[in-house]
Amino acid sequence: IHWLNTAMKDHREVLKRMDEMEIDYIHVSYEELYMSGDSHAKEWRKIFRFLGWDEDRVDGITYEDIQGTFDVVKTSSKTHKDLISNYDEVKETLADTKYADLLN
């Protein structure tokens, strides 16, 4: 938990400094970028809008469009429970914290 709190504090500090320096930015989720379906395309459309793409062009982008343009593929279909040997312990530790939703 201490490490997560420190990482979140550092993240907030970076965002604060970017705001102070008037640097434009958006927040995107790695998980949302590489999920299948509309939420996947929605996150990419968010990026393209931020970059100033024409709205008509952005609105037409689909999951299939995105998937067809990248050589990147999901390397694992395993859940956190399959990947973390002490998953139950981690889940219990995070259960009553703001980080509980980090596990799938």
Side-chain angles (χ1 to χ4, degrees):
I1 300 292
H2 174 73
W3 180 88
L4 289 170
N5 286 330
T6 300
M8 291 301 292
K9 180 182 171 203
D10 291 347
H11 178 74
R12 285 189 302 273
E13 183 63 29
V14 168
L15 295 180
K16 178 183 168 194
R17 290 180 187 218
M18 288 176 67
D19 285 338
E20 290 170 354
M21 297 171 68
E22 299 181 3
I23 297 172
D24 292 333
Y25 64 90
I26 60 170
H27 176 80
V28 294
S29 162
Y30 174 84
E31 290 79 10
E32 291 290 326
L33 288 172
Y34 293 101
M35 287 176 54
S36 62
D38 187 55
S39 64
H40 170 78
K42 182 181 176 184
E43 199 76 349
W44 283 102
R45 288 191 297 263
K46 183 175 163 182
I47 292 170
F48 297 139
R49 282 188 183 96
F50 178 78
L51 294 174
W53 282 28
D54 179 77
E55 197 65 30
D56 290 335
R57 184 177 177 198
V58 171
D59 285 342
I61 294 174
T62 66
Y63 168 70
E64 290 76 20
D65 295 330
I66 300 296
Q67 189 178 32
T69 60
F70 291 108
D71 293 332
V72 178
V73 295
K74 190 172 182 180
T75 58
S76 175
S77 61
K78 294 182 178 181
T79 65
H80 288 138
K81 188 170 187 169
D82 296 328
L83 295 169
I84 302 171
S85 62
N86 63 336
Y87 176 84
D88 292 331
E89 181 182 347
V90 172
K91 183 176 179 179
E92 183 179 325
T93 300
L94 297 179
D96 295 324
T97 73
K98 60 186 173 187
Y99 305 114
D101 63 338
L102 292 177
L103 295 176
N104 59 17

